[in-house]
Amino acid sequence: MTRSKQIIVSAAILVSVTINSLIPAPPASAASASTSSMTLTQGMTSSSVSTLQSNLKTLGYFTYPTITGYFGTITAQAVKDYQKAYLLSPTGVVDTATQTSISHSIKKRLLLDDAMNFVHVPYLWGGATPQGFDCSGFIYYMFQKHGIPAVRTTSQELYNTGSAVSQANLQPGDLVFFAIASPGVIDHVGFYLGNGQFLSATRSAGIYPQSLTSSYWGPKYMGSKRVY
């Protein structure tokens, strides 16, 4: 290979690495978001355990470098860590409640990955399509698109659904609520992304990620709900 060709190939590799570093790791497949009817416990070896490990790796709890299909101590600890984070009894046993929670978490991860494709879609009062969204319209659209039961409603009505979650226990896909126009009156909602960030439809920037604790949003925060 000539020196000029080597330079071109090296540049192409550098560009590829740079772009790939900006793209999130691929999420679990839709099939792996299904719930098994089998309780999974330590000592088991099966394809269901492999799916469990893959899902927990996607969610950041299973850190072993390979998917083994064996439910050992590392998998049990990953399950316990997940259960603690999602306020489930930390038994290390994957019962129906834990499987359902993991399935929902995977679906919400897919939803959030997709939601980032709508950044900068403009704000539109009453909007619930990619031509324009208001805050609750964006929640409704994304829930509908990803098969999560939802009706078109307001931020306040959304706040009356689901289970309350403290700010310290927020997980990606939870809904966060704010009072913008009047103190104490909920009129804004967004998806919690993780790392103190949330995504919502704002009048100034359209769909855009914001800091939950910024000087603007922090004082307006009213609470969070897990609705799926």
Side-chain angles (χ1 to χ4, degrees):
M1 182 183 295
T2 66
R3 179 172 178 77
S4 60
K5 288 183 178 180
Q6 287 177 329
I7 292 173
I8 293 172
V9 170
S10 297
I13 292 173
L14 178 59
V15 170
S16 176
V17 170
T18 302
I19 293 174
N20 287 340
S21 68
L22 300 176
I23 300 174
S29 65
S32 65
S34 62
T35 303
S36 170
S37 60
M38 180 189 303
T39 297
L40 304 178
T41 59
Q42 196 166 336
M44 297 178 66
T45 300
S46 70
S47 59
S48 294
V49 175
S50 295
T51 298
L52 169 68
Q53 292 172 335
S54 178
N55 285 340
L56 289 175
K57 181 177 282 291
T58 296
L59 297 171
Y61 295 94
F62 184 74
T63 57
Y64 195 72
T66 59
I67 303 301
T68 65
Y70 172 67
F71 198 132
T73 57
I74 294 175
T75 303
Q77 186 59 55
V79 170
K80 289 179 182 178
D81 291 342
Y82 175 88
Q83 290 169 327
K84 290 176 184 176
Y86 282 82
L87 307 178
L88 301 168
S89 179
T91 61
V93 173
V94 185
D95 56 8
T96 300
T98 300
Q99 290 189 46
T100 299
S101 178
I102 292 173
S103 173
H104 287 186
S105 296
I106 288 294
K107 184 171 285 191
K108 287 186 287 188
R109 177 62 61 91
L110 291 166
L111 181 155
L112 294 179
D113 287 344
D114 185 21
M116 295 303 292
N117 293 320
F118 296 93
V119 168
H120 291 312
V121 168
Y123 182 90
L124 177 66
W125 175 258
T129 74
Q131 281 66 55
F133 295 107
D134 66 12
C135 62
S136 57
F138 183 54
I139 303 298
Y140 171 73
Y141 176 81
M142 296 307 303
F143 275 179
Q144 287 286 98
K145 185 177 181 183
H146 288 269
I148 297 175
V151 295
R152 182 68 171 95
T153 187
T154 66
S155 303
Q156 178 63 67
E157 290 169 329
L158 272 173
Y159 184 75
N160 295 330
T161 66
S163 302
V165 181
S166 70
Q167 190 169 339
N169 289 317
L170 278 170
Q171 298 296 336
D174 290 340
L175 299 184
V176 290
F177 296 86
F178 306 86
I180 297 178
S182 302
V185 179
I186 293 172
D187 57 6
H188 192 78
V189 60
F191 286 114
Y192 185 67
L193 295 172
N195 298 319
Q197 301 289 308
F198 73 98
L199 185 71
S200 70
T202 64
R203 292 178 183 272
S204 59
I207 303 298
Y208 200 74
Q210 308 275 343
S211 171
L212 189 63
T213 57
S214 70
S215 59
Y216 178 80
W217 292 104
K220 295 175 173 58
Y221 174 75
M222 292 293 293
S224 308
K225 290 294 184 74
R226 188 166 298 157
V227 301
Y228 181 77

